[in-house]
Amino acid sequence: MFDADPSLIIQKPIPSVFRLLDTAGLAVAVAIAVLNTAIVLSSGFATAATFGVNSTTDNTDAVAGDGVCSTGNFIIISSTPLLFAAECTLRAAIEEANGNAGADEITFSGFLPTVAGVVEISPASALPQIFSQVTIDGYSHPSYDEPNPDASPIINILGGGTPSDTHGLIFLPGADDSVVRGLAISGFPSSGILISEFGVRGPDNIRIQGSHLGIWRGLFYTNGNGEDGIRIENADFARIGTVCVAFSCTGKRNVISANGRHGVSIRGTGNVLGGNYIGVDRTGTTTSVAFGGATANAEHGVFIPHGSEGNTIGSVGGLTFPGSDFTPISSAPNVISGNGINGIYLKGADNRVYGNRIGTNADGTFALPNQNDGIEVEADDIVIGGTGLLGNLISGNAGSGIFVVLESGVNIFRLIVNGNSVGVNVDASAPLSNTYGLILRGSNHEVTDNIISGNLVDGILGQSRLSLFARNFIGTNPHGDNLGNGSAGLSLAGIGSLPEVGSNLVGGAGQGNTIGFNTGGITIFDSNDNRVVGNFVGTNASGDDLQNSSSGIYNGSAYTEIGDPRGRVNGLGNVIGFNLYGIRNVGHHVKIQGNFIGTNAAGEDLGNESIGIWMESFIVPEAVIGAELSTPDADVNEVGNIIAFGARGIYIEDSGALSIRGNQLVGNGGPGIDLEGDGPTPNDPNDSDFGPNRLQNTPEFNITQTFFDEGTGDLQVRFAVDSSIAHAAYPLKIDLYIHDPWLTQGDQARAHLGSVMYEAVDAGSFVTATITPTAGTFEPNSFGDLFGGLRATATDANSNTSEFSVQNVPVPEPSGGLMLLGGICGLSALLGRRPQTKRRGPLIAPGVTVRSITAK
């Protein structure tokens, strides 16, 4: 290649025919042939032309629009042999392209001088605005390594000597379908590339590929543009970087870093930003370089203002999810990391964010934090992620992975967050923490099929209403690994004076979240009318131990529904196991129904370490655990919860009007129902004491007159409740249960048999009642039902339920006393056994037929 020297420009007009000054006597024809390999001249009558830049000076074109790129000077492009050419500068080439019809091309000659391996072009003033279709092709320089996807530009345009408010390249209407590729543009006081101007419409379909905006390869690596790397104003359908359609990707990434404001600002519709490195260096591995310092864009990596709709940030090829391998595909994720504020800031509605790495390096293996949030949203109808291969990796950011802003008086809604990994590395095998995973304000959001784990505070802080949270792995991954969030997995909370929150749905039939290894699984506070159904909390569908270290579910709000009246059969019951507490509640008007607490549908031991359900102090709770007072007997078992294998079943600390009916309590180490937390509470005369549920007295049986009549299939019971009408609201509803001796000790219950009313006129007196046990709950003469005996509770008309009765009440057939006596002697040791804990499968005595604890 010839060595070019910019000092050898001859400041005089070039003759109409090139002259060869050859002191060695070479043939003219040979010289002309050499010159034709270096430059291409174009006729002014052509519809498209190629203009070859061969000079780094800033001279203007001699006759703009004549089809010949010539400043009027000639340039010595070789000293041995001595060769001349018409000088064509970048400025002159743009002027000619503007004046020439058709799709022109600007190329760069190998004769251009280099500094440290690159060509430096330093205009002294703004380059001409471009208003005709043109391709400015930095790939054309012979030294450019075009096959290399990581190749850096050879052609560097440096704007440090231009006046204030100067942009690097400006594309105006008429420049539709223009292309910029393989350029480094840095140091301009305003933006590196400006597409259109504010208030001017177009141009459309601009492509920018393989370029560096804000950094360059000279002696100093970083020298950012003063404002944005790329700024799109009122232009549509630009393609910035690599674009993938149906897994076929075209175009090289841009590196857009070290700019004074945003990496890319987009005001327009249908623009696509794919495969770029924004805020990091050209390797995607660091936010600083040896010469020049930080690569961060000072504000946002990508900014989409109000009025910009239908744009796409990213491309197919983020993460595979759900699934077992989490294998990313090698298409075109943007890497948007290390920026001074947010990775992405969305104020325009109806935009999409697919398949990006936000807050990490290009491989997604370590953090390169954006200094605020990964994505900040202040707009409607935003989609972040998607099914298949559209998920983003949003990790390592200093603030939240995703933060939805709610301005006063603005109702932001319909955000879809689907298929993303938030707070973990690319294969979800280790934490890569944001401070919060998601903070969601506004309403009608859908957060589905994400991994939201490893964050320093909450996985999700849902300060929203009418939102759906389903099929997420929170604090873990599909493998059940420990990736806990530092506080709650999912927190539904109020937000001060901003609009009402609540009425959210967490889970669903077959749509439940798996929430484990957090401090608390689900917490609800100052957020009313929420429904929590079908989730796995502290465990997963396989029954593994994913213990949340505090409560599985903590509720401090009103009108919360945890489970469903038919939850154990319709898939809407939660499975809550291995936590310190299963459910801890301080809210009122709460319904806890149809859940598996400390077990699952298979009857496995998933016991919560301390208490199955803890109802703390609150005023006027009007809460329900299991069936309501009005529930028909045939439905009571179905509505109730199964509460198993904990230290205690239900603990009522200091509350009232709390109906506790139809729950199956088995395998717990302490009382099934414990008012005040001091163990079984003795009945007091006339029930005059006060405390949780008014310390309602329990029924007392006449054992000799309580039996099962095999002939009729009825159960006869004789009982009394020592509660005066002054100290209890009559009538009382007496619920009868069967108690399994081998599954538990003390006052617990496997199944609800039926109920009878105890009227005010009978207060304190024994009455005899006959019930037909609910189908499937009682087998006469069976080991468990004969010797397990009856338990009972009393619930007054204000829904205050007592503890279980403490008497062991066998239920023989009439005249079955001898059999009963022999059975009691043979079982005395068994009845005194303490339950085993933390063991899979129902706990049974040797030789006894296994009975499912889900029996109704």
Side-chain angles (χ1 to χ4, degrees), residues 6 9 55-59 71 73 87 89-91 120-122:
I9 298 173
S55 171
T56 59
T57 70
D58 195 35
N59 295 319
T71 64
N73 304 317
E87 182 189 38
T89 64
L90 177 60
R91 182 180 298 277
E120 294 184 358
I121 299 174
S122 300

Side-chain angles (χ1 to χ4, degrees), residues 139 146 159 185 214 265 407-408 418 472 477 483 554 587 618 620 634 726 821:
Y139 296 173
E146 187 167 357
I185 303 174
S265 176
E407 292 181 340
S408 179
N418 177 249
N472 300 290
N477 61 23
L483 302 168
Y554 178 89
F618 50 97
V620 194
L821 178 62

Side-chain angles (χ1 to χ4, degrees), residues 365-736:
T365 54
F366 58 83
L368 297 176
N370 294 295
Q371 296 307 301
N372 195 38
D373 303 317
I375 304 174
E376 187 166 314
V377 179
E378 194 177 326
D380 300 344
D381 297 307
I382 300 297
V383 177
I384 299 174
T387 59
L389 303 174
L390 300 177
N392 301 279
L393 176 64
I394 310 171
S395 299
N397 297 287
S400 302
I402 301 171
F403 178 32
V404 179
V405 180
L406 182 63
E407 292 181 340
S408 179
V410 178
N411 186 24
I412 300 174
F413 54 93
R414 292 189 300 272
L415 172 70
I416 295 175
V417 181
N418 177 249
N420 305 284
S421 287
V422 184
V424 294
N425 63 1
V426 70
D427 62 359
S429 64
L432 209 59
S433 305
N434 306 290
T435 299
Y436 285 85
L438 280 66
I439 298 179
L440 301 180
R441 296 170 180 171
S443 62
N444 293 92
H445 306 310
E446 294 181 13
V447 180
T448 56
D449 295 307
N450 302 282
I451 298 173
I452 305 172
S453 303
N455 299 287
L456 297 179
V457 190
D458 297 333
I460 302 173
L461 175 55
Q463 298 174 313
S464 63
R465 63 187 306 269
L466 299 171
S467 295
L468 169 67
F469 304 90
R471 303 185 305 276
N472 300 290
F473 289 87
I474 305 175
T476 185
N477 61 23
H479 305 309
D481 295 330
N482 185 346
L483 302 168
N485 297 290
S487 188
L490 168 61
S491 178
L492 302 179
I495 186 171
S497 61
L498 289 177
E500 180 184 358
V501 298
S503 301
N504 301 290
L505 175 60
V506 180
Q511 309 295 306
N513 303 281
T514 300
I515 305 174
F517 298 118
N518 309 285
T519 300
I522 300 172
T523 65
I524 306 172
F525 198 77
D526 289 338
S527 177
N528 298 331
D529 296 296
N530 295 292
R531 193 163 183 243
V532 180
V533 293
N535 301 285
F536 294 89
V537 185
T539 186
N540 56 16
S542 300
D544 297 320
D545 183 349
L546 314 182
Q547 182 184 43
N548 296 293
S549 60
S550 185
S551 303
I553 299 176
Y554 178 89
N555 178 64
S557 298
Y559 301 100
T560 303
E561 296 182 15
I562 302 174
D564 182 82
R566 301 188 67 251
R568 300 204 321 270
V569 295
N570 64 10
L572 293 175
N574 300 286
V575 179
I576 306 169
F578 296 114
N579 307 286
L580 179 60
Y581 311 110
I583 299 173
R584 185 176 177 183
N585 180 77
V586 296
H588 59 87
H589 292 85
V590 175
K591 292 184 178 180
I592 303 173
Q593 299 175 315
N595 300 288
F596 298 94
I597 302 172
T599 186
N600 56 16
E604 295 179 302
D605 177 1
L606 315 180
N608 294 289
E609 186 175 328
S610 181
I611 301 167
I613 300 177
W614 178 6
M615 306 296 282
E616 286 194 67
S617 302
F618 50 97
I619 302 172
V620 194
E622 297 187 21
V624 175
I625 301 176
E628 299 183 71
L629 195 58
S630 59
T631 304
D633 281 1
D635 299 328
V636 167
N637 273 307
E638 189 172 81
V639 174
N641 306 279
I642 299 179
I643 306 168
F645 304 118
R648 278 183 286 184
I650 301 171
Y651 166 36
I652 314 303
E653 182 176 340
D654 186 12
S655 61
L658 176 56
S659 173
I660 309 170
R661 303 186 62 232
N663 302 287
Q664 301 177 30
L665 293 117
V666 295
N668 297 292
I673 302 173
D674 191 352
L675 303 181
E676 290 190 309
D678 55 358
T681 302
N683 288 337
D684 62 308
N686 294 317
D687 204 6
S688 60
D689 51 355
F690 292 91
N693 273 5
R694 295 184 59 95
L695 294 178
Q696 171 64 51
N697 278 353
T698 65
E700 298 178 4
F701 289 93
N702 181 318
I703 296 176
T704 61
Q705 297 184 44
T706 297
F707 58 85
F708 176 75
D709 189 330
E710 190 172 24
T712 64
D714 293 335
L715 182 65
Q716 177 180 296
V717 293
R718 184 165 178 79
F719 67 91
V721 181
D722 188 10
S723 293
S724 70
I725 59 174
H727 299 131
Y730 276 82
L732 307 182
K733 179 162 282 190
I734 310 303
D735 289 298
L736 301 171

Side-chain angles (χ1 to χ4, degrees), residues 117 138-155 182 210 217 252 282:
Y139 296 173
S140 62
H141 192 280
S143 296
Y144 183 78
D145 186 8
E146 187 167 357
N148 180 4
D150 299 323
S152 293
I154 302 298
I155 308 301
R217 283 184 55 192
K252 290 185 179 182
R282 64 186 180 88

Side-chain angles (χ1 to χ4, degrees), residues 3-9 14 18 35 38-41 51-57 59 69-71 73-78 83-93 106-113 119 121 141 155:
D3 292 326
D5 185 347
S7 67
L8 299 179
I9 298 173
I14 296 178
F18 288 124
L35 286 173
I39 60 174
V40 178
L41 298 179
F51 303 105
V53 176
N54 59 15
S55 171
T56 59
T57 70
N59 295 319
C69 182
S70 170
T71 64
N73 304 317
F74 62 91
I75 180 173
I76 298 175
I77 59 175
S78 174
L83 300 176
F84 293 82
E87 182 189 38
C88 179
T89 64
L90 177 60
R91 182 180 298 277
I106 297 175
T107 61
F108 295 88
S109 168
F111 295 111
L112 289 165
V119 174
I121 299 174
H141 192 280
I155 308 301

Side-chain angles (χ1 to χ4, degrees), residues 279-371:
V280 298
D281 79 331
R282 64 186 180 88
T283 68
T285 61
T286 181
T287 55
S288 64
V289 291
F291 298 100
T295 60
N297 297 295
E299 296 186 24
H300 310 298
V302 180
F303 174 57
I304 299 185
H306 290 300
S308 299
E309 300 182 352
N311 300 288
T312 299
I313 303 171
S315 186
V316 174
L319 304 169
T320 60
F321 182 84
S324 59
D325 55 10
F326 304 99
T327 304
I329 68 171
S330 56
S331 60
N334 292 297
V335 178
I336 307 174
S337 302
N339 296 287
I341 304 181
N342 301 309
I344 301 173
Y345 187 24
L346 300 172
K347 301 185 76 171
D350 193 25
N351 292 290
R352 307 290 182 265
V353 181
Y354 296 145
N356 302 286
R357 309 278 192 265
I358 303 172
T360 76
N361 64 328
D363 291 335
T365 54
F366 58 83
L368 297 176
N370 294 295
Q371 296 307 301

